[in-house]
Amino acid sequence: MKVMDYIINEIRARKMHMTLIDPAKQSPEEAAKMAKEAYEAGTGAIMIGGSTDLSREKVDETVLKIKEAVPIPIILFPSGAHVISKYADAIYFMSLLNSNSPEYLIRQQMMGAPIIKKLGIEPISMGYIIIEPGMTVGKVGKAELIRRDKPEMAAAYALAAQYFGMQLVYLEAGSGAPEPVPPKMVKVVKDWIDIPLIVGGGIRKAEDARNIVKAGADIIVTGTLVEEVEDIKAAVSEIVKAIKV
Ligand code: 1GP
């Protein structure tokens, strides 16, 4: 089954949680252990990405170890064309829509497209929109950040993504953001679009996760949470339970 079909089936039935793992932050073995605990707690897919200084070898090793540990899809969430691993099940083929740099709008994608074709990885096209505070990805991606009090601006970008034929929209507050994307903004964006909506960045509390899915997110992503807590299974479980709305 294609990964996108799996996602569509999942979100038809329930809200979905995905766990982001940055291969630069631990050994492949440790990453596999984290993925397994998150899977046992109910996470629906593992996203691989994060740091910009990653090597493809590290991504390959991490994907392979995680693959041995969990049966759920492993989806690349790439910072650029240099980290495309042939072992992943799919890749978010994403454009940073509010970037001021062609590099993140289309150039890395142009470089990655032939690699994806050659390796036979499933591309899932996604409009990526960065909201304040944006954190590192906002700076690196040269994003003209969407103000937290301008939900219509985020919605207009999201609708543009839909009209481009993109399959998903991702609202990103930035990894480690002190506050996630405001639920009010999630609601306006969801009202404007018909394609599935992913929200990530700064989600640590079950209550925030619940408010974001209640506002209309189909999928929520947590990354920092699994890096920070002792008991990954308990922490992810709490979020997964909270989004059963
Ligand atoms: C980052 O949205 C993801 O791209 C996850 O953010 O690390 O804050 O959970 P956190």
Side-chain angles (χ1 to χ4, degrees):
M1 191 203 262
K2 283 193 157 192
V3 175
M4 190 58 198
D5 292 335
Y6 161 79
I7 292 173
I8 300 235
N9 279 341
E10 283 289 303
I11 62 177
R12 220 173 257 149
R14 62 189 75 86
K15 302 289 184 174
M16 202 177 173
H17 175 262
M18 294 189 185
T19 298
L20 174 65
I21 295 180
D22 182 347
K25 294 196 175 156
Q26 65 286 297
S27 69
E29 290 74 17
E30 190 61 28
K33 204 170 148 268
M34 289 160 78
K36 186 161 188 284
E37 286 187 43
Y39 161 67
E40 286 170 356
T43 206
I46 304 294
M47 288 165 47
I48 298 289
S51 303
T52 39
D53 55 350
L54 271 179
S55 72
R56 218 210 40 242
E57 289 69 29
K58 190 76 195 277
V59 177
D60 279 347
E61 286 168 25
T62 301
V63 172
L64 280 172
K65 282 285 170 204
I66 293 178
K67 228 175 183 176
E68 284 170 17
V70 299
I72 48 177
I74 302 171
I75 308 170
L76 297 177
F77 180 55
S79 50
H82 60 292
V83 284
I84 303 176
S85 168
K86 64 178 171 191
Y87 303 113
D89 299 302
I91 180 166
Y92 286 137
F93 195 76
M94 52 205 269
S95 176
L96 203 182
L97 300 178
N98 57 325
S99 176
N100 279 322
S101 165
E103 195 64 27
Y104 300 100
L105 282 162
I106 190 61
R107 207 167 283 153
Q108 286 294 324
Q109 295 78 346
M110 172 275 291
M111 289 194 275
I115 303 172
I116 292 169
K117 184 174 170 68
K118 188 164 160 241
L119 300 179
I121 308 166
E122 177 187 339
I124 298 174
S125 69
M126 181 163 89
Y128 188 53
I129 303 163
I130 306 187
I131 316 301
E132 285 178 336
M135 311 303 282
T136 306
V137 72
K139 287 194 191 77
V140 173
K142 300 190 169 54
E144 193 165 314
L145 299 175
I146 310 281
R147 280 175 43 178
R148 297 175 68 83
D149 61 350
K150 294 279 178 218
E152 288 82 10
M153 179 67 95
Y157 272 110
L159 190 58
Q162 177 175 322
Y163 289 166
F164 266 128
M166 290 173 168
Q167 293 163 286
L168 298 169
V169 165
Y170 192 128
L171 293 184
E172 170 75 271
S175 186
E179 295 289 336
V181 174
K184 223 183 198 173
M185 179 179 279
V186 173
K187 179 161 186 351
V188 175
V189 171
K190 187 62 186 177
D191 283 348
W192 283 35
I193 60 171
D194 306 306
I195 54 176
L197 178 61
I198 309 185
V199 178
I203 303 173
R204 295 178 191 81
K205 290 184 276 183
E207 192 195 345
D208 285 339
R210 184 194 298 268
N211 289 338
I212 289 167
V213 297
K214 268 191 172 168
D218 299 287
I219 300 166
I220 64 152
V221 178
T222 62
T224 305
L225 180 77
V226 296
E227 291 165 13
E228 282 178 351
V229 297
E230 280 286 313
D231 189 342
I232 293 175
K233 200 167 165 182
V236 174
S237 254
E238 208 185 315
I239 301 271
V240 168
K241 275 194 203 113
I243 62 172
K244 279 189 185 141
V245 290

